Amino acid sequence: MIKVAKFGGSSLADAAQFRKVAKIVLSDPSRRYVVPSAPGKRNKEDVKITDMLYACYEETARTGEISPVFGKIKQRYDEIISELGLNISLEKDYEAIKNAFIARVGKDYAASRGEYLNAKIMSEFLGFDFIDAAEVVFFNDNGSFDAPKTYNVMRERLKDSERAVIPGFYGVTANDTIKTFSRGGSDITGAIVASAADADEYENWTDVSGVMIADPRIVENPKNISVLTYRELRELSYMGATVLNEDAIFPVKKAGIPIHIKNTNAPEDEGTLIVTHTDKNNESSVLTGIAGKKGFTVLTLEKDMMNEEIGFGRRLLNVLEKNGMSFEHLPSGIDTMSVVVNDHELEGKEDVIISELMASTMPDSISIEKNIALIAVVGRGMKNAKGTAASVFRALADEDINIRMIDQGSSELNIIVGVDNSDFEKSIKTIYSKFVK
Ligand code: ASP
C-alpha cells in the first residue's frame, strides 16, 4: 500500500503544525511520499511565504538591492528549524536565493523557493529523502506540463526512494528554468506524484475536514460528504464548490486513484473520499451536495410547431457560436427552447444576439430573464430514489420561492433549478434542511 500525502500551507505554517504533520506521516508506514506547500498564514493577519517571496522578488528586481522582506522570510524558516530542534542550516540556500533574486532569475523561481526550503526542512524532520521537484517535474518550452517526461523520470526516481519529500508547486523547463504551476499548484504536484508512484490513495491534508454538503457561508454548520464520485465533484465544482484545482484532479482521476481530503488539525475526522465509482450512498442524505451560482440569464424562444422544424436548435446555437458565446444549459419544451448563459458572456452583446436570433430562427417571441441563480442538487443516489425532484420543488414552493427554470441532467446525477438571485441563499438553506437530517 502506498499513500502520497500532500500538505497545504496552513498545515505547515509553523513548527507546531510541522509536528502535527510528522505525527500523521509517521503513524502510517504507507505514507511514503510527502508533498509540502510553502508555509501559509499562522493567523488571519499573517502573510503566506509565497506572497512574501513574490513581493520580495518584485522589490529586489525594481531596486537592484535585496528587499528587507528577505530577512523576514529567512526568519520564518529559521524559527521553524530552531523550534523543531533541527541541526541544519539553510544559510547556503539563502545566499544562493538572494543572489538569484539580485540577478533577476524570474518570479517563478522566486515563488518556488517557498516549497523548496519547506521540503528540505520537512525531509530532515521526517528522516525522509529530499527529491527536488526540478529533477522530476518537467515543462515543455511552450510552458505546458510535459507529462511523458515527468512520469518517466519520476517513476524511476521514486523506485530509488523508499520514503521521500518532494516540494510542490514547481518544476523545470527544457532550458533549465524553474517554472511554477498556477497558484495552489502543490495540489497538482501531489496528484502527479501519486500517479507516478502508482499510489493506492492521494491524501490531501488541509484545514477543513473535507467537502461539505453545502457552502458553510450559507448553511450553518453543514455536514460533511463522506464519499463523493469524481463526476459529482465535477458537477459541484462547476457550480462554485471549490475543492481542488481541476488540473490537480486529472492525473489521479485518470489513474483511478482515490483522493482523500483530510484535516491536519483533526486527523481523526473521516474526511471526504473522492472515488471513480461507488455503490454506496451517503448516509445522511440522498443528496451528495448542493452548490450554486448567481448571475445567469435565460433566453427563451417560443415558436409554434417548433418541434417539427428541422434545424431550429442548430440555428439558435449557431448564433451563439458566431458570437463566441458558450452556454450552460439548454432546457426545451415542445414549442420553446431556452438557453442559459452566464451574464458576463452576454455583456455588451445582448442587442446583437437578439436581432441575430430573430433573423435566423424567426421565433414568435423571445423573452429574456435576468438575475437568475442556478442551484445544482447533486447526488448519485437520486437515480434510485423516487420523488427527489418533487420534494425539491415542494420545499421551495412551501417557502414561497418561485422556480424560474428546471433542468435535469440525463444522467440523473443532478437537478438544476433556476431561481431569482435574491432567492439564492434561501433556496439552498431550504433544500439542505429538507434533505439532510
Ligand atoms: N504556495 C503556493 C501558493 O501559495 C502553492 C500551493 O500552496 O499549493 O499558491
Side-chain angles (χ1 to χ4, degrees):
M1 173 104 158
I2 299 179
K3 288 182 187 169
V4 169
K6 180 259 167 180
F7 291 88
S10 59
S11 300
L12 295 161
D14 57 20
Q17 291 299 96
F18 263 69
R19 285 210 179 84
K20 289 185 197 169
V21 167
K23 200 168 162 207
I24 290 165
V25 173
L26 299 174
S27 70
D28 181 349
S30 63
R31 295 193 174 114
R32 289 179 42 192
Y33 303 112
V34 174
V35 176
S37 286
K41 295 182 180 194
R42 292 161 295 186
N43 51 58
K44 262 208 186 103
E45 292 72 43
D46 205 9
V47 186
K48 291 173 79 168
I49 285 280
T50 310
D51 292 320
M52 292 169 87
L53 285 161
Y54 280 124
C56 177
Y57 181 75
E58 195 267 327
E59 195 186 335
T60 306
R62 189 159 35 81
T63 63
E65 275 173 47
I66 192 71
S67 149
V69 179
F70 196 73
K72 292 193 184 142
I73 295 169
K74 263 172 52 173
Q75 199 185 343
R76 276 197 69 179
Y77 285 109
D78 286 341
E79 255 172 43
I80 295 175
I81 293 172
S82 79
E83 280 177 38
L84 294 178
L86 293 175
N87 194 12
I88 49 162
S89 158
L90 296 177
E91 281 308 324
K92 272 200 188 127
D93 285 306
Y94 297 149
E95 203 48 35
I97 295 168
K98 188 173 106 183
N99 292 333
F101 274 35
I102 294 168
R104 297 195 200 192
V105 291
K107 73 176 191 357
D108 279 20
Y109 166 86
S112 76
R113 297 304 90 184
E115 273 68 11
Y116 170 85
L117 295 170
N118 223 25
K120 278 200 142 176
I121 301 174
M122 184 48 83
S123 73
E124 188 66 27
F125 192 44
L126 293 173
F128 282 22
D129 297 338
F130 170 76
I131 301 177
D132 189 352
E135 289 165 25
V136 286
V137 177
F138 301 96
F139 292 93
N140 294 304
D141 278 340
N142 66 7
S144 61
F145 171 58
D146 186 347
K149 183 169 178 195
T150 301
Y151 287 120
N152 276 338
V153 176
M154 195 186 289
R155 233 175 244 133
E156 289 308 308
R157 182 65 189 80
L158 294 181
K159 278 186 198 152
D160 289 340
S161 230
E162 195 51 31
R163 298 177 198 295
V165 179
I166 304 123
F169 193 35
Y170 71 95
V172 71
T173 64
N175 64 17
D176 253 351
T177 309
I178 296 284
K179 185 179 156 44
T180 60
F181 291 109
S182 55
R183 290 302 301 267
S186 298
D187 280 342
I188 306 175
T189 312
I192 294 167
V193 174
S195 174
D198 209 2
D200 299 276
E201 198 167 291
Y202 170 33
E203 291 183 333
N204 197 293
W205 291 84
T206 173
D207 53 5
V208 290
S209 291
V211 188
M212 287 159 198
I213 295 179
D215 188 336
R217 287 167 299 188
I218 300 174
V219 172
E220 209 181 308
N221 248 327
K223 283 198 173 156
N224 206 61
I225 304 175
S226 53
V227 184
L228 184 66
T229 66
Y230 279 111
R231 285 188 56 207
E232 288 175 318
L233 176 68
R234 171 86 181 111
E235 299 283 347
L236 291 169
S237 56
Y238 147 70
M239 278 295 170
T242 43
V243 186
L244 290 170
N245 189 314
E246 287 274 310
D247 292 333
I249 292 167
F250 182 71
V252 271
K253 182 179 167 193
K254 192 160 167 262
I257 301 169
I259 303 177
H260 202 166
I261 306 201
K262 295 275 287 174
N263 190 347
T264 302
N265 305 319
E268 60 296 334
D269 286 359
E270 70 171 338
T272 298
L273 192 65
I274 308 166
V275 297
T276 312
H277 174 79
T278 173
D279 290 327
K280 258 185 58 195
N281 286 342
N282 285 313
E283 273 160 31
S284 51
S285 167
V286 65
L287 302 185
T288 302
I290 311 159
K293 250 199 273 194
K294 290 183 185 177
F296 293 93
T297 297
V298 185
L299 295 167
T300 301
L301 285 76
E302 204 174 331
K303 188 175 189 181
D304 254 353
M305 310 297 284
M306 180 196 287
N307 65 325
E308 292 189 1
E309 186 178 326
I310 290 170
F312 186 93
R314 180 181 53 74
R315 283 191 285 278
L316 187 166
L317 295 179
N318 207 10
V319 171
L320 301 189
E321 185 176 349
K322 248 180 52 200
N323 285 282
M325 278 172 68
S326 67
F327 70 94
E328 309 290 322
H329 296 278
L330 196 68
S332 66
I334 187 153
D335 284 338
T336 60
M337 193 171 269
S338 303
V339 261
V340 183
V341 297
N342 223 308
D343 281 350
H344 69 78
E345 292 271 347
L346 203 59
E347 234 170 63
K349 293 183 186 162
E350 201 174 310
D351 294 344
V352 183
I353 298 285
I354 301 292
S355 62
E356 288 187 19
L357 283 175
M358 281 294 201
S360 69
T361 64
M362 292 190 285
D364 298 337
S365 70
I366 297 187
S367 66
I368 303 187
E369 288 195 81
K370 295 190 175 171
N371 302 320
I372 301 284
L374 294 184
I375 296 166
V377 181
V378 177
R380 58 187 182 277
M382 293 197 303
K383 211 170 177 166
N384 304 314
K386 291 199 183 78
T388 314
S391 303
V392 170
F393 305 147
R394 198 171 319 117
L396 294 175
D398 286 348
E399 286 299 316
D400 237 4
I401 296 166
N402 189 11
I403 300 178
R404 313 277 296 267
M405 189 208 87
I406 296 168
D407 195 11
Q408 177 167 32
S410 46
S411 61
E412 286 190 68
L413 198 64
N414 62 14
I415 299 166
I416 310 252
V417 276
V419 298
D420 267 341
N421 274 346
S422 58
D423 282 331
F424 177 66
E425 285 85 2
K426 189 174 167 195
S427 303
I428 291 194
K429 282 189 189 132
T430 303
I431 299 170
Y432 182 90
S433 56
K434 172 85 194 171
F435 282 94
V436 186
K437 301 287 175 247

